Amino acid sequence: MFRNLFAPVVAVAMMAFAMSFSMVSSAHADVAADVDAVLADTTLTNEQLAEAIADIVINAEDPGAAAQIIAEKVAAMDPPLSDERLAAIGNGLGLAVIALNETNPVAASEVAAVVVTMSEEVQTAFAETVGQTATIVANRRNDLFTEATGDKSAN
């Protein structure tokens, strides 16, 4: 008797899990496709590239995973991006961290943790945009502009 009641519950749970897994996979595929399109668009100015990167990360279901996809795609580019384009990527990731800090400081820290693994050009531009190094932001894991005083204008 219990098996007759238990089987439908298990089936529904497995279907829900499968649907959520496929949505996550689809979301990652969408982010990867967006990153490919942005990196391939040589008509974008550096400012437009930075804004596009920020938009991708901010609007992703998982901003940290989106940043990781960006890092992997940038590292795999052949020929590699110019220093100016790498700086635009860093600026974009910095803009994303600033925006994410308002609603999800942990996600902002996760994005910064990815930046730590990227090139010096990306890290330098990120630090110039955010006002702190990616290492400091990644280690905060909370509101990155609030110090002990609670003043968000710190920095």
Side-chain angles (χ1 to χ4, degrees):
M1 177 172 164
F2 286 111
R3 190 163 61 169
N4 290 341
L5 294 173
F6 187 65
V9 171
V10 170
V12 168
M14 290 179 69
M15 286 175 40
F17 175 76
M19 287 174 42
S20 68
F21 180 75
S22 69
M23 286 189 294
V24 169
S25 296
S26 174
H28 282 241
D30 290 345
V31 168
D34 290 346
V35 171
D36 284 339
V38 166
L39 293 177
D41 189 348
T42 58
T43 65
L44 294 175
T45 66
N46 290 335
E47 293 78 23
Q48 291 169 327
L49 175 60
E51 290 171 5
I53 291 295
D55 285 343
I56 290 169
V57 173
I58 292 165
N59 294 311
E61 287 182 30
D62 183 345
Q68 185 61 46
I69 290 168
I70 292 167
E72 290 168 2
K73 299 259 182 204
V74 167
M77 291 195 73
D78 188 26
L81 292 174
S82 68
D83 290 351
E84 293 81 17
R85 295 304 260 185
L86 290 170
I89 301 287
N91 289 333
L93 292 169
L95 292 171
V97 163
I98 290 168
L100 288 168
N101 183 63
E102 295 298 318
T103 58
N104 191 345
V106 172
S109 294
E110 291 170 353
V111 171
V114 173
V115 173
V116 171
T117 69
M118 298 179 77
S119 72
E120 182 179 336
E121 293 82 8
V122 172
Q123 291 184 46
T124 299
F126 175 92
E128 290 171 356
T129 301
V130 176
Q132 297 181 13
T133 66
T135 302
I136 290 171
V137 175
N139 289 327
R140 279 263 173 99
R141 300 205 60 82
N142 60 15
D143 188 348
L144 55 121
F145 298 112
T146 303
E147 292 186 353
T149 62
D151 179 11
K152 281 195 171 207
S153 66
N155 277 350

